[in-house]
């Protein structure tokens, strides 16, 4: 651990020196890369310095404990207990900071929500989940960009795609992929019976062109008339775009913008994210076969969470976490669940490394 911290300290000094170079400051891409790396290492080095100070103080306290003056000796013994507890906490903090970093953690995300089993009620629930995530994003100071939507006549969405932009978005929401189950009395149910419906959520890190290389010859691009709100432009011009990636069979569509060019750009953005997400899933399945402890597979078929309205309860089945605050969760107060998932994942990684 100390060797890794010393290496981080050395690398941080090298980065600080590089950032003073005019060539680097003019290269925006390189400057951003170094700044991100610096932010990551700075936390490790800062904790390392606190650890070094605590160890030094602990050594001084141990010397004091054997002083001939009883008062000084007692003071030293009291300090030892406090400093040993502080040292243990710092070791735990540093262990978490040294865990392998997910290179996608600081990326923006594309979220796709679909109504699944349950007909109209599933689509209504998909709309509720969309509102939950957008409220959470607003609380975090993140921005939302709509990409594609297919509203349901009964309310909600048959499917909706949107981007969330902000600081460390993927690190917070990467565990949301999967089947979300709701248990409640549907608006259309006259007898008051509780129904179970599901909606699927897919969270994908935004992918740059350098992350995914797409051959234009592998694409089938179709244009069609937009549907829904949009003023005079709707149904008069073929501004909506559908792109099929022939090697994988992945299909994306966008009709949110009035310009076909803009819709195509967004559709390509979605396509890159889906292909990148597929590659990540393949990599993760290899890791998970070696590491049995994990936070779900991220597959949309896997039921990850239940929202029980009669009991105001939310349960995440992957980690056995339950909270009796469904009303708050649906208003965007997701932090307790997200923190529990992150802590579980960190503990899992620590256990697998040990």
């Amino acid at each position: 651990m100390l060797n890794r911290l010393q290496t981080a300290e050395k690398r941080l000094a090298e980065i600080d020196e590089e950032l003073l170079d005019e060539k680097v400051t003019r290269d925006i891409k390189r400057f951003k890369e170094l700044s991100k790396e610096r932010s990551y290492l700075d936390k490790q080095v800062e904790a390392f310095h606190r650890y070094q100070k605590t160890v030094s103080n602990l050594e001084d306290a141990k010397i004091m404990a054997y002083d001939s003056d009883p008062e000084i000796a007692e003071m030293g013994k009291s300090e030892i207990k406090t400093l040993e507890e502080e040292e243990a906490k710092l070791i735990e903090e540093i262990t978490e900071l040294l865990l392998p970093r997910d290179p996608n953690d600081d990326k923006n995300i594309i979220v796709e929500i679909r109504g699944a089993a349950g007909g109209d009620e599933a689509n209504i629930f998909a709309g509720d989940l969309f509102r939950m995530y957008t409220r959470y994003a607003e609380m975090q100071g993140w921005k939302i960009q709509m990409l594609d939507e297919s509203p349901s006549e009964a309310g909600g969405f048959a499917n909706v795609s949107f981007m969330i932009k902000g600081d460390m978005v993927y690190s917070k929401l990467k565990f949301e992929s999967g089947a979300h189950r709701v248990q409640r009395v549907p608006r259309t149910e006259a007898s008051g019976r509780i129904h179970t419906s599901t909606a699927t959520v897919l969270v994908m890190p935004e992918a740059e062109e350098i992350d995914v290389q797409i051959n234009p010859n592998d694409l089938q691009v179709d244009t069609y008339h937009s549907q829904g709100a949009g003023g005079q432009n709707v149904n008069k011009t073929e501004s909506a775009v559908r792109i099929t990636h022939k090697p994988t069979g992945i299909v994306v569509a966008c009709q949110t913008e009035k310009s076909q060019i803009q819709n195509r750009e967004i559709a390509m953005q979605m396509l890159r994210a889906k292909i990148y997400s597929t590659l990540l899933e393949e990599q993760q399945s290899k890791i998970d076969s070696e590491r049995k402890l994990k936070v779900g597979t991220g597959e949309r078929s896997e039921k990850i969470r239940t929202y029980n309205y009669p009991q105001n309860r939310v349960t995440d089945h992957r980690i056995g976490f339950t909270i009796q605050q469904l009303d708050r969760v649906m208003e965007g107060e997701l932090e307790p669940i997200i923190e529990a998932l992150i802590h579980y994942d960190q503990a899992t990684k620590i256990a697998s490394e040990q």
Side-chain angles (χ1 to χ4, degrees):
M1 185 180 79
L2 291 174
N3 285 338
R4 290 174 67 182
L5 289 168
Q6 287 164 356
T7 301
E9 188 176 40
K10 183 182 177 182
R11 175 60 185 150
L12 187 64
E14 290 173 353
I15 291 173
D16 283 341
E17 195 173 326
E18 272 195 77
L19 289 172
L20 294 173
D21 190 334
E22 287 185 9
K23 290 181 181 178
V24 173
T25 55
R26 285 197 296 266
D27 186 340
I28 297 173
K29 184 183 173 185
R30 179 62 178 158
F31 185 80
K32 283 184 178 179
E33 287 174 353
L34 287 172
S35 297
K36 285 180 182 178
E37 188 182 356
R38 192 196 186 286
S39 176
Y40 172 64
L41 292 173
D42 189 47
K43 294 174 185 175
Q44 296 179 0
V45 173
E46 191 271 333
F48 180 36
H49 290 164
R50 280 190 283 127
Y51 173 77
Q52 287 176 315
K53 187 177 180 180
T54 300
V55 169
S56 176
N57 290 341
L58 183 57
E59 289 173 357
D60 292 342
K62 286 178 180 178
I63 293 170
M64 287 171 62
Y66 289 97
D67 197 276
S68 57
D69 186 322
E71 288 187 11
I72 294 176
E74 186 59 34
M75 192 185 299
K77 288 174 184 176
S78 177
E79 281 289 299
I80 287 171
K81 185 179 179 182
T82 303
L83 290 166
E84 281 180 342
E85 289 175 359
E86 191 176 328
E87 182 187 26
K89 287 179 183 177
L90 278 168
I91 289 173
E92 188 178 333
E93 180 185 340
I94 289 167
T95 301
E96 289 184 5
L97 287 170
L98 289 176
L99 287 173
R101 181 171 175 262
D102 187 334
N104 296 305
D105 273 353
D106 57 1
K107 289 191 174 185
N108 299 326
I109 61 171
I110 289 175
V111 184
E112 181 182 276
I113 304 174
R114 292 178 179 272
D120 288 341
E121 175 62 12
N123 293 340
I124 292 169
F125 181 51
D128 293 338
L129 290 176
F130 168 71
R131 183 175 181 274
M132 178 184 77
Y133 289 124
T134 53
R135 291 297 298 272
Y136 177 71
E138 288 167 5
M139 291 176 184
Q140 299 295 313
W142 298 337
K143 293 181 180 179
I144 302 289
Q145 179 189 351
M146 292 299 296
L147 301 180
D148 193 34
E149 59 181 295
S150 295
S152 168
E153 288 184 9
F157 300 95
N159 65 76
V160 58
S161 299
F162 55 102
M163 177 176 280
I164 303 180
K165 300 177 180 180
D167 185 37
M168 304 295 287
V169 180
Y170 186 72
S171 71
K172 290 271 192 176
L173 294 176
K174 62 183 174 183
F175 299 123
E176 292 302 298
S177 292
H180 294 239
R181 180 171 63 179
V182 63
Q183 295 173 330
R184 64 185 177 189
V185 178
R187 300 172 195 170
T188 54
E189 178 58 57
S191 63
R193 289 183 304 166
I194 295 172
H195 282 225
T196 298
S197 306
T198 57
T200 61
V201 176
L202 178 61
V203 174
M204 302 168 283
E206 183 183 15
E208 305 289 340
E209 288 187 40
I210 56 172
D211 296 323
V212 179
Q213 297 293 326
I214 297 175
N215 187 338
N217 295 326
D218 291 336
L219 302 178
Q220 178 183 317
V221 181
D222 300 304
T223 58
Y224 57 99
H225 295 300
S226 296
Q227 298 175 343
Q232 296 180 352
N233 196 58
V234 174
N235 294 326
K236 290 192 175 180
T237 59
E238 292 194 346
S239 59
V241 175
R242 183 188 300 109
I243 301 177
T244 304
H245 185 244
K246 290 183 274 190
T248 60
I250 293 173
V251 180
V252 295
C254 182
Q255 59 175 349
T256 57
E257 304 297 328
K258 292 182 179 181
S259 161
Q260 187 183 116
I261 294 173
Q262 288 176 305
N263 282 329
R264 178 169 178 143
E265 285 178 1
I266 292 172
M268 284 300 295
Q269 208 171 19
M270 294 166 70
L271 180 62
R272 281 195 296 270
K274 285 202 171 190
I275 294 173
Y276 188 53
S277 182
T278 301
L279 294 173
L280 288 178
E281 281 184 20
E282 290 173 359
Q283 291 174 4
Q284 192 62 40
S285 65
K286 291 177 184 177
I287 294 170
D288 289 340
S289 64
E290 299 169 3
R291 191 183 82 190
K292 293 182 181 178
L293 290 170
K294 57 184 178 178
V295 181
T297 62
E299 293 178 3
R300 283 180 286 176
S301 61
E302 180 188 6
K303 289 183 181 66
I304 64 167
R305 194 176 297 153
T306 295
Y307 303 74
N308 185 294
Y309 274 73
Q311 297 178 29
N312 197 37
R313 184 184 70 224
V314 182
T315 300
D316 197 290
H317 304 292
R318 296 164 294 181
I319 59 175
F321 180 84
T322 296
I323 186 169
Q324 302 285 152
Q325 297 176 358
L326 181 142
D327 52 341
R328 294 184 185 180
V329 169
M330 298 311 292
E331 288 299 318
E333 294 184 28
L334 274 168
E335 201 63 23
I337 300 173
I338 288 169
E339 286 298 319
L341 286 162
I342 290 172
H343 289 154
Y344 182 86
D345 184 54
Q346 288 174 338
T348 298
K349 287 176 179 174
I350 290 169
S352 66
E353 287 207 344
Q354 289 173 346

